Structure formats: structure tokens, C-alpha cells
Amino acid sequence: MQVREACAPSFYAGDCARSTNRFLSGFSVPAQPARAVAGIVPHAGWQYSGAVAAKVFESIRQKANPAAFVIFGAVHRWAGINGVYARGAWATPL
């Protein structure tokens, strides 16, 4: 399987696991909805939106325990770039 490295490593500065633990410190997954299988998260750098994204992904993980996450991303340039990568997987900071 071909794996694509992160395109913007500056978005994930520092120790990613430590940052995620900090984002989730004291967070309790809400009782409602009882089941979560999808979510919408912002895609700015972690310093701006990492805490929100971590909480959404953690809520889905606890309520659905998925084997995989499918992530649809925004495309900021139009020329020759496709919003769906159909070959392989993305490498993430975690």
C-alpha cells in the first residue's frame, strides 16, 4: 500500500500524542447522541482547531469503535488536485 506523508508538517508541531492527550484532558464524551458514526471537524492547524477535532474523533471512537476513519478533506487549490485519494492511505502524525 502506498502511503502519502502529511503535506503540511508545520500544522502538527511538537509531540502529537502529548498534544492530543492535552486536548482530551478533562473531556467527557456527551451522552447524546447515543451513537455517533460521523462528524464534521475543522481542518486548520492544531493550535487553532486540534482540540475540537480530537473531541469529535474521540466521541466517535467511544460510541462506534470504528475499524477505520474515512476523512474527506478540503482542497484549497483547483488545478490538478482531486479531493479524493483513491490509492493507498495517508500517514498521520499519530
Side-chain angles (χ1 to χ4, degrees):
M1 171 186 298
Q2 180 183 8
V3 176
R4 291 179 66 167
E5 297 298 323
C7 293
S10 63
F11 283 0
Y12 310 108
D15 182 330
C16 295
R18 187 178 313 156
S19 294
T20 301
N21 289 336
R22 188 179 77 243
F23 295 150
L24 296 176
S25 177
F27 174 68
S28 296
V29 173
Q32 295 297 320
R35 185 164 183 255
V37 296
I40 298 173
V41 299
H43 69 279
W46 279 28
Q47 68 270 29
Y48 305 110
S49 63
V52 172
K55 291 170 184 174
V56 172
F57 290 134
E58 178 64 11
S59 296
I60 294 169
R61 186 190 69 79
Q62 286 192 28
K63 291 176 179 272
N65 194 25
F69 278 84
V70 176
I71 300 174
F72 297 94
V75 177
H76 294 280
R77 292 179 273 165
W78 294 101
I81 295 177
N82 190 334
V84 177
Y85 183 64
R87 302 175 312 271
W90 287 94
T92 73
L94 298 173

